[in-house]
Amino acid sequence: MAHSTVRATILPEIIKLICANKNVTEREALDMFYSSATGSSFADDDSGLFGQSPLYIYGLFTQEAE
């Protein structure tokens, strides 16, 4: 399966977690995620982060935000 397909499959789950826990809109959650180092790594095929679970990636995102 292509990396972009995997990312497209798990990104909505990550965004749902951000929306639910940060009380923001989907657009705000997307902006927050892709403005973070975690989001940059997620978008980078070489990082391999796209192969992790949405919950794991969300955990990295929240650790970074703290």
Side-chain angles (χ1 to χ4, degrees), residues 3-45:
H3 299 167
S4 59
T5 304
V6 174
R7 276 194 297 272
T9 303
I10 64 175
L11 181 61
E13 298 303 316
I14 298 166
I15 298 306
K16 284 180 190 174
L17 288 166
I18 295 171
C19 288
N21 293 299
K22 302 286 187 187
N23 197 28
V24 296
T25 66
E26 286 184 4
R27 183 70 210 164
E28 290 170 322
L30 278 166
D31 289 343
M32 291 168 64
F33 183 67
Y34 277 116
S35 294
S36 70
T38 304
S40 293
S41 293
F42 179 72
D44 181 6
D45 285 349

